[in-house]
Amino acid sequence: MKLFVYHTPELTPTDTVPDCAIAVDVLRATTTIVTALAAGAEAVQAFSDLEKLLQASEAWPAERRIRVGERGGQTVAGFDMGNSPFDCTPERVGGRRIFMSTTNGTRSLQRVEMAKTVLAAALINRQAVVQHLQAHQPNTVWIVGSGWEGSYSLEDTVCAGAIAHSLLSHPEDINQLAGNDETVAAIALYQQYQDNLLSLLHQASHGKRLLKLDRHEDLKYCAQTDLLDVLPVQRELGVLVSHRN
C-alpha cells in the first residue's frame, strides 16, 4: 500500500485515479456525513453547486429529503440545515436522504468520485477507515483534504496523519507506506498533537472562524477520535451510504 496525502482537491494528479480515495473535511462536512449516516440517514448526496443540489432534490418527496447548504460556516438561506453534526439527530435525519453542499468538503468528494473506492473520513471515524484499509489493502490510497477555498488546513492534515499513523506497525514502516512528503509531514503533525487535538482545531484558521460563530461545541465534537464505527462509502457517483465494520 502506498499512501499519498494531498492538502486540497486542486493538488491531486489529474492524469490518474487511485484504488482508494478518502475525502477529509474535519470542520465539518465529513464529520457531519459520518454523524448523519450513524443517525440513520438513508444516504448523503454531495454537490459542489447549490443549483444542481436543488434540481436533484426536487425528485425526492419533501418528507424524505433534507437540504444541507453551508457557505462560510453559515446556513444557506432557504435550506433545511447548515453543516453542524449536532443537527443530525435520528429524529431529524432517520430514513431521509441528505442533499449536501458545503464550502469545501463536497468539492473534495466530487474531485475523487471516479476512484475505484471512495470513502469519507474524519477524526470521529478514523478507526473505521483504518480497518477498511487493512482489510482491503488497496495498492494506492489518496487522502484528500478539503482545505479552505483552495488553501491548506491543519485539521484535515492532522486527520490524514491520524489515519496514516494507525497503519504503521513500526516507525520504520513509514518508508514503505508514504508515497509523498506530505504523508510524512501529516504523521509528524498528528504525533505532535494526538493528545490535544482540540487545541490544534482552535489554532486552525477555520476553527477560529467557527469559534467566532459560537460553534465551540462543534469543535469539541469534531476533535474526538474513533467515536463512531461508521464508514461512508460511495455507492454511486456522489452518493455515500453507511458501511458498518
Side-chain angles (χ1 to χ4, degrees):
M1 186 191 306
K2 277 291 183 184
L3 194 152
F4 299 81
V5 172
Y6 298 103
H7 297 313
T8 67
E10 293 81 5
L11 293 173
T12 57
T14 57
D15 58 349
T16 185
V17 292
D19 296 305
C20 179
I22 304 169
V24 177
D25 186 5
V26 172
L27 295 175
R28 296 166 286 171
T30 53
T31 302
T32 298
I33 289 169
V34 172
T35 305
L37 292 175
E42 179 265 336
V44 178
Q45 190 164 347
F47 298 82
S48 57
D49 183 87
L50 291 170
E51 287 302 318
K52 290 181 180 178
L53 182 158
L54 291 171
Q55 291 170 10
S57 64
E58 280 299 320
W60 285 71
E63 68 274 11
R64 292 184 54 218
R65 73 180 183 223
I66 296 178
R67 292 166 170 164
V68 173
E70 173 268 321
R71 292 293 184 269
Q74 303 270 33
T75 303
V76 176
F79 280 67
D80 301 311
M81 287 170 30
N83 191 19
S84 173
F86 287 111
D87 291 335
C88 300
T89 62
E91 295 77 18
R92 192 167 193 183
V93 305
R96 297 180 177 180
R97 174 164 296 204
I98 294 179
F99 295 85
M100 183 181 202
S101 181
T102 69
T103 307
N104 303 294
T106 47
R107 290 188 305 108
S108 291
L109 282 163
Q110 291 208 314
R111 171 62 191 89
V112 300
E113 65 184 6
M114 299 307 295
K116 295 176 184 176
T117 301
V118 177
L119 311 175
L123 290 167
I124 62 168
N125 74 326
R126 183 267 309 262
Q127 191 56 38
V129 175
V130 170
Q131 289 173 357
H132 177 91
L133 295 175
Q134 290 171 332
H136 294 276
Q137 291 292 316
N139 289 326
T140 54
V141 179
W142 293 0
I143 303 180
V144 182
S146 299
W148 175 263
E149 297 183 342
S151 63
Y152 173 90
S153 68
L154 283 169
E155 66 274 10
D156 294 346
T157 304
V158 83
C159 182
I163 293 167
H165 183 266
S166 293
L167 293 168
L168 299 175
S169 299
H170 305 284
E172 59 270 19
D173 290 348
I174 194 170
N175 295 317
Q176 285 73 46
L177 179 68
N180 59 3
D181 288 354
E182 289 90 334
T183 303
V184 179
I187 292 171
L189 182 67
Y190 174 70
Q191 289 175 320
Q192 177 70 24
Y193 282 96
Q194 59 184 311
D195 296 323
N196 200 0
L197 291 168
L198 181 58
S199 172
L200 181 70
L201 266 57
H202 276 252
Q203 295 178 52
S205 59
H206 191 38
K208 292 176 181 177
R209 291 184 196 95
L210 291 172
L211 289 173
K212 289 179 181 178
L213 296 171
D214 198 26
R215 291 292 184 176
H216 297 76
E217 294 303 314
D218 278 27
L219 263 66
K220 289 179 183 178
Y221 181 83
C222 294
Q224 298 177 89
T225 52
D226 308 334
L227 182 68
L228 298 173
D229 186 26
V230 173
L231 183 65
V233 179
Q234 182 175 259
R235 181 179 63 195
E236 56 190 89
L237 286 183
V239 179
L240 297 162
V241 298
S242 174
H243 172 78
R244 292 180 184 271
N245 288 313

